[in-house]
């Protein structure tokens, strides 16, 4: 691999916005958009934890950006740009880096953001990547996890469980002829740009698992949630597996769909705001202490061994 | 080790500013200080690259913050707060985390900043830590690397080479009875708060090595630099070793002192601005193409095998 400074110049400097000062400085400098609040989020991807060494570098890059963009979407924020850190073992080739940078470039264009700066380091073993995103939002309108109220309905965008099954397909555990599930796992779509500020009382993106992320809203808001397993929307590729994959799709996450708390009188406004997107009511919040209940079609409460992904 | 969410609640939530929303959300939200530009910087510390597994966790935490704070200092910026990512192997104990958080707390207090958010992950092997700092600066006054002009003098704060020898002391390769060198290596002092905006034309902090960091200014500014090895200020603990350690102190970095380009007519203002700090003129910039020359006391040009630290 070429040395640190040539790598920055060759692969990363072309991705930089003016705020990045050509990636020649210690930091980025930016004028905050007038009258807006700044939103900051950070996510990392570690080899053998979040991706596999043989995954395509451009897909790794794009998922790193999209995981962060999804966090901005969950706050109702728009992206400005990002800082990137890489810690790479010496075995990583220049070709890997070229493809990685190509992936960054593709998603910078798709989502309208630039590279503002970063840090590069060597690593003894695993590839370790971190992106810090800077976004902005109208003052006081950031969506939070703690705003759900008893009586609010629970809505989700898109379909749930595609990524859980896509991961199995990538591991050769199930067939995915159309590659739909595989792509949903490799290249999730952050639900940016939905005008949810005066509609949703709370929001989160589904990264850890539907039940766990719903639990985060419940605990932050001090309410309980009741959802119906039969209402959780699935793609036709997931529907084939029926209830055999119910636990996987409710607990494994990685879908990066939005989970929203919406007062019943705002339901029509929600549907209008998500005009181009599937949006489905799956249950409601009620008074409580942070619990999540799942009912099957017969109204029976289902139990799951764990609600979602946690690091240890 | 306890699970991810209890760790965040127990060790990190008490460190959070209001901007961090209790560390319960996907992102931090902050109102930029009115009329200021935002400065963003990120630095990582990887086990076996930037620190050793048996280093004290509170010192690892503090150095992580100080390396970033030094980047803000080099831009002339003041800190607001930071995002933290941790990737930890399962072998890391709760006691390690308690001490790590204690170190963060100590430096948050010392430097006036708060935790705004972050991300935690597991890791298969090494501990990997990243801090992204948010600072602010008066519009247009951020110090850059590209502003050095022929005729500017080259000044450095503090003393150079302490950290290089301190690292040897930590490895048992030299005696350090007073622990001065060891502490300079473990706990550098970011040179924040110096009013350099109308004094310095360019600035960088010495992290990679004096010669390499001076080279960064030269290449960014399109000038050459000439310094005298005998003028580079050393502590009495380093002076003992005389010129046997000259290469180490000029090329190993980790001192986090500031290296400044200052027009001669601003020298008095510089000395006044750095009233409480040692500040030393070590050379001057001249027309050129990005080269750095080092002269000894007799005016002979010295050659070094490499100018400083680079990852590969």
């Amino acid at each position: 691999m070429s040395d640190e400074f040539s790598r920055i110049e060759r692969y990363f400097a072309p991705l930089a916005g003016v705020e990045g000062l050509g990636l020649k400085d210690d930091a980025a400098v930016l004028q905050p958009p007038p009258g807006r609040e700044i939103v900051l989020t950070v996510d990392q991807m570690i080899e053998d934890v979040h991706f596999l060494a043989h995954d395509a570098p451009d897909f790794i890059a794009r998922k790193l950006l999209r995981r962060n963009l999804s966090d901005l979407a969950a706050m109702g924020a728009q992206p400005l740009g990002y800082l990137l850190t890489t810690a790479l073992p010496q075995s990583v080739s220049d070709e890997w880096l070229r493809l990685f940078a190509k992936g960054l470039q593709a998603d910078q264009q798709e989502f309208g953001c630039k590279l503002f700066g970063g840090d590069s380091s060597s690593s003894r073993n695993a590839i370790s990547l971190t992106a810090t995103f800077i976004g902005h939002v109208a003052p006081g309108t950031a969506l939070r996890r703690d705003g759900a109220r008893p009586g609010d309905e629970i809505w989700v965008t898109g379909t749930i469980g595609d990524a859980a099954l896509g991961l199995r397909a990538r591991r050769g555990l199930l067939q995915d002829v159309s590659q739909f599930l595989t792509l949903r796992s490799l290249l999730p779509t952050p639900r940016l740009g939905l005008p949810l500020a005066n509609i949703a009382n709370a929001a989160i993106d589904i990264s850890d698992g539907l039940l766990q992320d719903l639990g985060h809203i419940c605990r932050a808001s001090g309410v309980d949630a009741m959802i119906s397993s039969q209402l959780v929307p699935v793609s036709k590729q997931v529907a084939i597996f029926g209830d055999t994959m119910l636990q996987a799709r409710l607990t494994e996450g990685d879908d990066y769909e939005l989970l929203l708390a919406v007062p019943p009188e705002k339901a029509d406004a929600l549907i209008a705001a998500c005009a181009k997107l599937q949006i489905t009511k799956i249950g409601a919040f009620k008074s409580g202490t942070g619990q999540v209940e799942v009912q099957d079609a017969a109204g029976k409460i289902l139990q799951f061994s764990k609600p979602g992904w946690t690091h240890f």
Side-chain angles (χ1 to χ4, degrees), chain A residues 20-255:
Chain A
L21 312 174
L23 305 191
K24 290 182 191 304
D25 262 278
D26 291 303
V29 180
L30 64 140
Q31 193 73 53
R36 303 283 285 181
E37 283 179 336
I38 293 287
V39 179
L40 293 164
T41 188
V42 61
D43 251 321
Q44 52 192 336
M45 284 180 60
I46 314 276
E47 184 181 338
D48 289 336
V49 179
H50 302 96
F51 65 91
L52 304 170
H54 65 253
D55 286 346
D58 49 339
F59 279 80
I60 297 172
R62 297 175 79 179
K63 188 158 178 183
L64 177 65
L65 300 193
R66 286 166 183 234
R67 282 161 46 97
N68 276 282
L69 288 164
S70 178
D71 282 329
L72 289 184
M75 305 294 288
Q78 291 169 248
L80 280 171
Y82 66 102
L83 307 177
L84 175 71
T85 71
T86 60
L88 305 175
Q90 202 149 7
S91 57
V92 169
S93 68
D94 275 23
E95 177 60 8
W96 191 96
L97 268 171
R98 190 184 67 75
L99 291 169
F100 181 77
K102 199 180 141 202
L104 296 175
Q105 170 79 59
D107 272 1
Q108 288 187 194
Q109 240 167 337
E110 180 148 355
F111 299 105
C113 53
K114 293 274 190 178
L115 181 60
F116 286 175
D119 180 49
S120 55
S121 167
S122 44
S123 158
R124 290 280 176 271
N125 297 290
I127 297 174
S128 162
L129 307 162
T130 303
T132 306
F133 260 82
I134 303 96
H136 61 102
V137 72
T141 69
L143 298 170
R144 307 260 305 252
R145 295 183 182 179
D146 64 1
R149 299 288 164 259
D152 283 356
E153 296 171 346
I154 304 169
W155 290 77
V156 291
T157 62
T159 53
I160 304 301
D162 299 323
L165 271 62
L167 183 61
R168 285 170 176 72
R170 288 164 61 196
R171 289 182 170 151
L173 301 175
L174 57 85
Q175 273 215 322
D176 179 30
V177 179
S178 72
Q179 295 285 296
F180 170 82
L181 299 171
T182 301
L183 273 172
R184 286 275 290 163
S185 165
L186 285 173
L187 209 59
T189 303
R191 300 304 183 188
L192 286 163
L194 303 175
L196 300 172
N198 294 305
I199 295 171
N201 281 341
I204 193 170
D205 66 326
I206 299 174
S207 52
D208 292 341
L210 173 62
L211 299 188
Q212 180 146 301
D213 291 315
L214 184 53
H216 289 316
I217 288 191
C218 287
R219 283 186 297 279
S221 302
V223 295
D224 282 357
M226 169 70 82
I227 65 165
S228 167
S229 64
Q230 300 309 301
L231 295 178
V232 174
V234 292
S235 62
K236 63 177 192 285
Q237 290 84 347
V238 165
I240 296 168
F241 295 91
D243 280 354
T244 58
M245 285 295 179
L246 183 63
Q247 166 141 348
R249 67 187 191 238
L250 295 186
T251 64
E252 292 186 19
D254 229 20
D255 287 312

